[in-house]
Amino acid sequence: MGTTRQQVVLETLAARQRAAELVKQLEQAQQECNGLLKGDQRQDLVKQVTGKSSIETAMATAKRMVEMLDRALEESQKVVGEDLAPEPTVHVVARIGVAGVGARVAGGR
């Protein structure tokens, strides 16, 4: 794939994969955080005030990003009139780290 359009599609696919991985990591962090809060018999103060925890807000944002990237890929396929990305192999070159997020949110452990 050498054209600029094809390169954009590949970059969009890679961004979509990273966003989907981030959603999974945030879900794990939420479970960890909820477990820590429950173990300490505490409430999530942000959730009490706003109705959503910080992690829930981040997950919703990441899910919207995945949906937006899916729509962009669909539109690019319509414009070209062919499937530009059949079962692609995407190599992730960087990951957004969220290790320990739940611990920091739950009280800095």
Side-chain angles (χ1 to χ4, degrees), residues 84-109:
L84 293 176
E87 303 289 328
T89 301
V90 178
H91 301 281
V92 177
V93 262
R95 294 179 188 261
I96 301 172
V98 294
V101 168
R104 285 195 300 275
V105 172
R109 290 186 189 164

Side-chain angles (χ1 to χ4, degrees), residues 54-67:
S54 299
I55 294 175
E56 289 170 337
T57 301
M59 285 187 332
T61 301
K63 286 177 182 178
R64 281 192 305 271
M65 179 63 68
V66 169
E67 292 168 1

Side-chain angles (χ1 to χ4, degrees), residues 9 13 72-86:
V9 169
L13 285 167
L73 289 167
E74 288 173 15
E75 286 299 314
S76 69
Q77 290 173 359
K78 287 178 188 176
V79 169
V80 173
E82 62 182 24
D83 187 2
L84 293 176

Side-chain angles (χ1 to χ4, degrees), residues 1 12 15-16 18 22 35 42 49 52 56 58 67 70 73 77 93 95 108:
M1 289 192 177
T12 303
R16 190 221 178 275
R18 287 191 308 270
L22 178 60
R42 294 186 307 143
V49 172
K52 280 190 172 183
E56 289 170 337
E67 292 168 1
D70 284 341
L73 289 167
Q77 290 173 359
V93 262
R95 294 179 188 261

